[in-house]
Amino acid sequence: MNQHTPSPAGPSPASDVTRPRAQFRPPAVHQVRVQGFFGPRIDTVATTTAHTLLNRCIEAGMLDQIDPDRPNPGLSIPFQAGNDTVTTQMFWDSDFGKSIETAAYALYRRPDPELEARVDEVINAYARLQDENGYLNSWYQRIEPGKRWTNLRDCHELYDAGHLMEGAVAYFHATGKRRLLDIMARYADHIDQMFGPKAGQTRGYCGHPEIELALVKLGRATGEQRYLDLARFFVDERGRQPPHFFDEEARARGRDPKDYHFENHQYTQSHEPVRQQRHVVGHAVRAAYLYSGMADVSTEFGDESLKTALDALWGHLTDKNLYVTGGFGPSAHNEGLTFDYDLPNETAYAETCAAVALVFWANRMLGLGPDRRYGDVMERALYNGALSGLSLDGTRFFYENPLESRGTHHRWTWHRCPCCPPNIARLVASVGTYMYGEAEDAVAVHLYCESEADLDVAGTKLRLSQTTAYPTDGAVKLTVDPAEPARFTLHLRLPDWAGATVAKLNGEALDIASSSRNGYLAIERLWSAGDTVELDFEMPVLRLHAHPKVGIDQGRVALQRGPLVYCLEETDNGAHLHSLLLDRQSAFRCEEAADLGGAVCLVAKGVRETAAGEALYTPQEPAREQAVLRAVPYHAWDNREGGEMLVWLRQEGAR
Ligand code: FUB
Ligand code: ZN
C-alpha cells in the first residue's frame, strides 16, 4: 500500500535555530516490510488484535460516550479511590486514538475493509461530536460539560488530543482519508489559540505529556509549522515557576493545591523546567512521553540544551532505575519511580505502557544520531518488557510486568484502565519503523530482523534487505541496493550483549574496532546495487548480575541470550521456583519450544532443594537433588498453563 503524502508539502525548518547536521528520522511504517521474528506478531495484530481493541472499547461503552447520536451514558466508571477528580473514563478518547493508530498500521499489513469501516464509524462519531470552534473531547462535551480546561493537571484533555492526533496521522497515511486528520488539525488550531504566551492565552500544559510528541507528528504530516511551535511551547513551559501552573489552576477551581495525592509536582515532571531536569522522577509513562516530545523538539529545532537534559535523564534511568527487562517504574502507588536501585521483582509495576514509551524515547534519541546507548535499550525494552504485554494469540494483555510471580499474575482480556493494550499493539504493528533511521547522507540499522526497507539517502532510493533468523541466530546478511551508486554511511548497531562479532563487506573481513563509532559500525563508501554486509554476532547465554545496590537480586543471575531475557515457569520446572538453583558451570542447550510458537528455550543443569520438614526455621540444610532447568523468553511467559514465574535465579557450585 502506498503512503499518502499530505498537502501542503512538509514543514519548513524553524527560522531562528540551526538544525543538526544529521537528523536520523525513522522511515514510515509502509517503507519497511517485516518478516522474521516480528512478522507473525504483526500478522496477529492485523488479523486479531486490531479488531479485539475496537470490540472491547465499544463493549466498554466508549462509542456511546463519543457519539452524540447515542444516549448519553453518563459516568459509568467511578472516580478513582483517593482522587476525586479522575476517572479512567476521562481518557477514553486516547484509547480510541491508539486503537485507530493500530488499525492504520494493520491496514498496511493486510487490506481489511471491515476494519476500515469500523474505524470510519468511530471517526464519523468524532466528526459529529466536534464543536464549531474545533474543541473535541468526549468527556467534557458529554459527561462533564462546562468544565473544559479547568484541570489540566489530572484530567488528560491534551493527552487525549495527542493520542487522537497520532491516530489521525497514521490513519491518513495508511488510507489517504483526511477526515480525522482535518478534525484534529482544527482541534490543534483551537488548542493553539487557547495556549501560548500571548495575552489572553493560557500558559499551561498537560499533567500527562503526550500532546508534545503528537503535535510534532501532526506538524510533520501537515506541514504546519505552528504545530511544531506549539509542541515547543508546551515543552518550554513545563515546570516554569513560580507560581506553578497547576497550583494556580487548583486555586482557580477553588481547591487547595496541597490537597493532592502527589507532592511537589514530580509526578507530572513539572517540578522544574525541563532543561534543568537530570533525574527521572514520577509517573513512568508521563516521563517517557515527555522525554520523547523533548527529543522531537530538540531534533526539529536543533535545540542542544534539551539534549543535555535528555542525556542526563537517560543515564539516570538506565544506570540506576531500569529493570533487566527494559521495564521501569517499580511502584503501583505512583505508577512510577521511587528511589535509585529500587527494583523489586514480584511487586514490580513496570507498566507495559512505560516500556513501550521507552522504545519511543530511545527511538527519538536515535534521531540525534546512532548511539548504542539508545539502540541497546530500545531493543531490550521492545523484546522484553513491552512485548510481554501482548499474549501470543494477540487477545490478552499485561498491565504490570513483574519479574517474579507466585502464580497469580495473568494477562487479562480488558481493564478499567485499558491504556496498555492499544499501546503495545500499535508498537508491534509499526515495529519496522524502529528498525532503521534515514539521514541525508547516512542510513542506520538499529534493530535486526528479516525485513526489506525502501529508504531515501544521498539523493537516491535505497532498498536495504536483511536476511536473518535473528534473534534465534546472530547471523545477519544485509543487501544494499541503491537505485544509483551513491556515497553514504551505513551505521550498523553492534549490540552490547554480543560476544565475538565478525563483519564482512562484499565477503572481505572488516576491522570492527577501527570502523565503529558510538557502538555502531560505520561504513562510508560509494555503495552499488548488490553490495553486501554480513554480520555474525556471537550469542552466548549471559548470566547477568545486578549492581550490589539492587539488594534483592544479590546472589542471583538473570539469563539473556541475544536481546531476549529469560525466565523460569512452573509449567516447565514444577512449583516452588525459588527452590531451584542454576549450576554455575552448566552449559546451556537451546531447544525450540513448539508450545511457544517455536521460541528458543534454554536448558541447563541445576539442583532442587527440598525442605527438611515443615518447620518455618531450622538449622538443618535443605536436601538437594539434580534438576534440569528450562527457561523461556520472558516476553512469552503466561501463554500456557498459568503458574509461578521467576527471572532472577539463584546459582550453586564453585565460581
Ligand atoms: O493516565 C493515562 C494512562 O493510564 C497512564 O499513562 C497509565 O499509567 C494509566 O494510568
Ligand atoms: Zn498502560
Side-chain angles (χ1 to χ4, degrees), residues 3 69 218 221 242 341 359 362 419 421 558 647:
Q3 163 96 349
D69 289 351
L218 190 67
Y341 302 105
V359 174
C419 50
V647 169

Side-chain angles (χ1 to χ4, degrees), residues 7 15 102 134 146 221 241 261 283 375 412 414:
S7 59
S15 50
T102 304
Q241 49 190 323
H261 50 295
H283 183 271
W412 33 264
W414 205 236

Side-chain angles (χ1 to χ4, degrees), residues 451-512:
S451 59
E452 198 176 67
D454 289 327
L455 307 170
D456 286 296
V457 63
T460 190
K461 300 275 174 215
L462 167 70
R463 174 158 295 176
L464 191 56
S465 318
Q466 295 191 46
T467 310
T468 178
Y470 192 98
T472 298
D473 184 87
V476 183
K477 180 172 182 181
L478 293 121
T479 306
V480 185
D481 282 320
E484 306 286 337
R487 175 166 290 280
F488 59 89
T489 307
L490 180 62
H491 299 264
L492 303 165
R493 185 173 61 94
L494 302 166
D496 64 348
W497 49 255
T501 298
V502 175
K504 290 181 189 164
L505 171 63
N506 292 329
E508 299 280 321
L510 276 174
D511 177 26
I512 294 182

Side-chain angles (χ1 to χ4, degrees), residues 112-348:
D112 183 342
E114 188 199 335
L115 182 64
E116 212 170 314
R118 298 186 72 191
V119 171
D120 288 340
E121 188 192 346
V122 176
I123 292 172
N124 290 339
Y126 275 116
R128 291 193 290 275
L129 181 67
Q130 186 165 35
D131 256 20
E132 277 298 299
N133 68 6
Y135 183 85
L136 183 67
N137 182 289
S138 63
W139 176 265
Y140 284 107
Q141 288 174 278
R142 302 207 71 213
I143 315 295
E144 270 202 314
K147 288 198 175 173
R148 58 180 77 163
W149 305 131
T150 54
N151 187 352
L152 268 65
R153 184 190 69 188
D154 302 332
C155 294
H156 295 72
E157 251 162 315
L158 290 169
Y159 166 88
D160 283 338
H163 277 302
L164 281 171
M165 285 174 194
E166 287 198 85
V169 169
Y171 196 64
F172 167 68
H173 284 318
T175 63
K177 294 180 182 169
R178 293 198 65 106
R179 194 161 202 203
L180 187 57
L181 189 72
D182 291 341
I183 290 171
M184 294 316 297
R186 275 186 64 210
Y187 190 17
D189 292 342
H190 176 69
I191 295 170
D192 190 36
Q193 282 169 7
M194 293 290 308
F195 292 90
K198 293 188 210 132
Q201 289 183 309
T202 305
R203 294 193 69 158
Y205 43 87
C206 192
H208 196 314
E210 152 65 20
I211 186 85
E212 300 81 358
L213 71 89
L215 281 166
V216 171
K217 276 194 184 176
L218 190 67
R220 288 173 178 167
T222 59
E224 185 53 77
Q225 179 65 34
R226 276 183 306 120
Y227 302 154
L228 302 179
D229 294 340
L230 185 57
R232 180 163 65 162
F233 165 77
F234 284 131
V235 164
D236 289 350
E237 202 60 22
R238 193 169 206 87
R240 195 181 58 81
Q241 49 190 323
H244 196 283
F245 171 68
F246 292 150
D247 292 347
E248 291 283 274
E249 188 192 45
R251 282 185 205 103
R253 284 196 306 274
R255 304 295 291 257
D256 180 351
K258 293 203 180 65
D259 177 18
Y260 186 49
H261 50 295
F262 298 111
E263 282 169 12
N264 69 24
H265 301 297
Q266 289 198 348
Y267 176 70
T268 54
Q269 294 83 34
S270 60
H271 53 298
E272 56 188 354
V274 296
R275 285 175 183 75
Q276 291 171 24
Q277 297 190 20
R278 297 291 182 269
H279 293 97
V280 177
V281 293
H283 183 271
V285 185
R286 281 170 165 83
Y289 279 10
L290 171 64
Y291 309 147
S292 299
M294 285 164 63
D296 277 340
V297 168
S298 175
T299 299
E300 283 299 329
F301 293 91
D303 187 331
E304 284 295 315
S305 62
L306 285 169
K307 189 169 184 311
T308 307
L310 288 167
D311 275 337
L313 292 162
W314 186 267
H316 182 242
L317 177 66
T318 56
D319 294 345
K320 297 177 180 170
N321 290 286
L322 192 65
Y323 281 104
V324 71
T325 52
F328 75 106
S331 163
H333 169 65
N334 63 348
E335 300 188 296
L337 292 112
T338 50
F339 51 90
D340 291 351
Y341 302 105
D342 181 31
L343 295 164
N345 293 315
E346 191 177 357
T347 59

